[in-house]
């Protein structure tokens, strides 16, 4: 075998090795992207659960939260309860700001973001939440503020239990 033939075989072997390495790398990147997206979504769901837990465990807190979502100045709500709701809303909107950020970074897929977006905008457009937002918007990033403030209320919005009861849904 000539030196030229050996070089050709070595170059071909090297080219095959480079292509195989690139294929392996592409597979690893794809798997890593899936893992990052799954971990991101898992973290979002866990954060949502952490927010909801006090509401599930404390019916009065849940009722207060819903009342304030409709009327932030509701005189039947104590200053202490309003303060607690302010902190809860800050936590909730921080979770939602994270969802918005993850979507913009590409780690939250569009079809998942659309569901979160509907929930976010549905709550954001409640009158009491709007009043709260005017007090606290500066605590959030400018892109998130712009996203919310330029949004229109979704055609179908999530309603509170009080609204459902008023619409004949009753409490259940």
């Amino acid at each position: 075998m000539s030196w030229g033939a050996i070089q050709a075989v070595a170059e071909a072997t090297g080219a095959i090795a480079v292509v195989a390495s690139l294929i392996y790398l592409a597979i690893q990147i794809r798997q890593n992207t899936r893992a990052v997206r799954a971990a991101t979504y898992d973290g979002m769901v866990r954060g949502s659960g952490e927010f909801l837990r006090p509401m599930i465990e404390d019916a009065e807190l849940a009722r207060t939260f819903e009342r304030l979502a409709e009327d932030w100045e509701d005189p039947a709500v104590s200053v202490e309860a309003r303060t607690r709701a302010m902190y809860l809303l800050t936590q909730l909107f921080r979770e939602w700001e994270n969802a918005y950020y993850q979507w913009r970074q590409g780690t939250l897929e569009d079809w998942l973001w659309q569901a979160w977006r509907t929930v976010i905008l549905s709550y954001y457009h409640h009158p009491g939440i709007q009043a709260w937002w005017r007090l606290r918007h500066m605590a959030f990033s400018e892109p998130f503020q712009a996203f919310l403030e330029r949004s229109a209320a979704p055609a179908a919005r999530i309603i509170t239990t009080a609204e459902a009861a008023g619409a004949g849904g009753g409490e259940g």
Side-chain angles (χ1 to χ4, degrees):
M1 184 177 256
S2 73
W3 184 248
I6 293 173
Q7 274 185 312
V9 168
E11 285 179 20
T13 303
I16 290 169
V18 167
V19 169
S21 294
L22 290 174
I23 291 170
Y24 175 77
L25 183 59
I27 290 168
Q28 291 299 308
I29 289 171
R30 184 179 173 125
Q31 288 175 342
N32 184 56
T33 299
R34 285 182 181 159
V36 166
R37 285 182 170 170
T40 296
Y41 192 68
D42 183 63
M44 289 170 53
V45 170
R46 288 178 190 275
S48 181
E50 288 174 22
F51 170 79
L52 291 172
R53 181 171 289 114
M55 306 277 225
I56 293 166
E57 294 172 352
D58 184 345
E60 185 59 33
L61 176 62
R63 280 190 294 278
T64 299
F65 182 84
E66 288 191 349
R67 288 176 82 163
L68 291 174
E70 293 307 315
D71 179 6
W72 186 254
E73 299 299 326
D74 186 334
V77 177
S78 70
V79 172
E80 293 82 13
R82 193 179 331 280
T83 300
R84 191 171 181 192
M86 187 171 288
Y87 290 126
L88 281 171
L89 280 167
T90 300
Q91 178 188 4
L92 178 63
F93 273 69
R94 193 65 70 211
E95 289 290 327
W96 289 345
E97 182 180 38
N98 178 49
Y100 177 72
Y101 173 78
Q102 297 301 335
W103 172 68
R104 287 190 55 177
Q105 293 300 309
T107 52
L108 183 63
E109 296 188 66
D110 288 341
W111 59 275
L112 285 172
W113 166 245
Q114 291 310 314
W116 281 78
R117 181 183 182 280
T118 298
V119 171
I120 293 166
L121 296 182
S122 180
Y123 276 97
Y124 172 74
H125 285 283
H126 278 79
I129 302 299
Q130 291 281 297
W132 168 83
W133 181 254
R134 286 189 292 277
L135 300 171
R136 293 291 184 199
H137 71 275
M138 74 294 282
F140 299 91
S141 68
E142 288 182 17
F144 186 62
Q145 289 179 46
F147 157 69
L148 290 174
E149 293 168 3
R150 293 179 185 149
S151 70
R157 78 177 175 103
I158 295 171
I159 62 172
T160 63
T161 305
E163 287 176 301
E171 287 191 41

